[in-house]
Amino acid sequence: LSNGRVMLGIGSGYRPYEFEGLGKDFEGRRDMVEEAVGLMFEAFHRHRYDHKGKYFHGTVAAPYEMLPQPLQMPHPPLYMAGGTDRSIGYCGHNGFGLMLSTLPGIETLAAQTALYKRELAKASEERRRNPAAGQIAIARWVYIADTDAQARADSAEAIVRHIAHFGGSGTGGYLGSVSEKGNQLTYDDLLNTTLLHGSAETVIARLREMQARTGMTSLLLHYPPYYGREKAMKSLKLFAERVIPAFRPPAHRVAAAE
């Protein structure tokens, strides 16, 4: 349907109530994902499998095989979301592209990406055939305004309230498990370590620092819904018109200008 443009990201989840609603064990979620990953690679690479595990079982044997097969071979780019040493290490060792949370500060991100790269170097040749192997996508809260002061005025109260939510019981203590943050959050601390908020020039500088410190290959934009449609759309427009061009290769900049 997409003519080879699909990318697939997976993760183990972090909200206990979602598991409760489905009758699944929250504490066993990583074991479940790891078993599923082995089965998934078997199906992608050999188009058949015979599996009897703790969580999954099934057989696709000759003369049958998995169809349809993807246009991207051996499979679409596969990414895994990671926040703990276990998930990030597993991601690298199995040749996934890495997706990192909005919550860790730059120092934590640098340590997480270093771990990923070390484990990726140990991945098998088959796993490294993943088109996404070595790709690092980092999610950030992004808000662009004409000035740093305007970005603060528009977003400070809402973003602090929103991020504090991730330290609550409903998220299983996610804030503390994937980042260095405690429950006492201030806008200034978040701005210095985590947020991409400010003028286009400020955000460009911070993005360049993130690239240099982490090897980031793509950015996932996040923003809470509290700013209102008009401000959110203006932020996205400024990002598209003033931030993205700073990261285009020179030939692309010329083509875009024409």
Side-chain angles (χ1 to χ4, degrees):
L1 292 176
S2 69
N3 197 31
R5 297 179 61 222
V6 166
M7 295 183 287
L8 175 64
I10 66 173
S12 57
Y14 64 90
R15 297 180 185 271
Y17 63 81
E18 294 177 344
F19 289 78
E20 292 170 8
L22 294 171
K24 298 298 182 181
D25 175 27
F26 178 72
E27 297 302 328
R29 66 195 186 282
R30 294 188 180 94
D31 293 335
M32 186 182 298
V33 167
E34 290 173 9
E35 183 179 326
V37 164
L39 179 57
M40 180 175 68
F41 276 121
E42 189 74 10
F44 272 133
H45 284 276
R46 280 162 276 285
H47 313 301
R48 298 185 175 96
Y49 62 85
D50 183 16
H51 182 84
K52 295 179 177 62
K54 179 177 180 180
Y55 298 101
F56 307 100
H57 65 275
T59 300
V60 178
Y64 304 103
E65 64 179 3
M66 300 286 290
L67 293 171
Q69 294 172 12
L71 290 180
Q72 305 123 302
M73 296 299 287
H75 50 68
L78 301 176
Y79 289 79
M80 176 174 279
T84 64
D85 286 353
R86 173 176 172 175
S87 59
I88 293 169
Y90 183 86
C91 174
H93 195 72
N94 285 275
F96 283 92
L98 176 64
M99 296 187 296
L100 289 172
S101 169
T102 55
L103 299 172
I106 186 66
E107 298 295 336
T108 301
L109 289 175
Q112 289 175 335
T113 52
L115 170 61
Y116 168 70
K117 293 170 188 176
R118 290 195 301 271
E119 292 302 314
L120 180 64
K122 304 173 188 176
S124 68
E125 181 179 351
E126 181 177 281
R127 294 289 195 268
R128 290 180 66 88
R129 289 173 62 197
N130 178 4
Q135 298 294 301
I136 299 173
I138 299 179
R140 295 286 90 174
W141 302 108
V142 177
Y143 188 83
I144 315 271
D146 292 323
T147 65
D148 292 349
Q150 187 61 55
R152 175 189 289 267
D154 289 347
S155 68
E157 181 180 354
I159 195 65
V160 172
R161 182 175 69 249
H162 185 75
I163 293 178
H165 158 76
F166 290 95
S169 59
T171 63
Y174 183 69
L175 180 64
S177 68
V178 303
S179 77
E180 71 293 339
K181 294 175 176 59
N183 291 323
Q184 300 301 314
L185 302 174
T186 69
Y187 184 80
D188 285 328
D189 288 341
L190 292 171
L191 191 63
N192 290 332
T193 62
T194 307
L195 301 177
L196 292 178
H197 281 208
S199 67
E201 293 73 23
T202 293
V203 170
I204 288 169
R206 288 179 174 160
L207 274 171
R208 293 201 189 283
E209 180 188 7
M210 284 179 60
Q211 279 187 310
R213 297 285 303 278
T214 67
M216 176 181 69
T217 57
S218 60
L219 174 71
L220 305 175
L221 274 71
H222 283 236
Y223 46 92
Y226 313 122
Y227 308 143
R229 182 182 184 279
E230 183 178 342
K231 290 178 181 177
M233 291 300 295
K234 181 178 179 181
S235 172
L236 290 172
K237 189 171 187 289
L238 288 170
F239 187 87
E241 294 179 349
R242 297 173 59 183
V243 177
I244 289 177
F247 294 90
R248 285 198 181 108
H252 289 184
R253 292 179 196 168
V254 173
E258 293 175 349

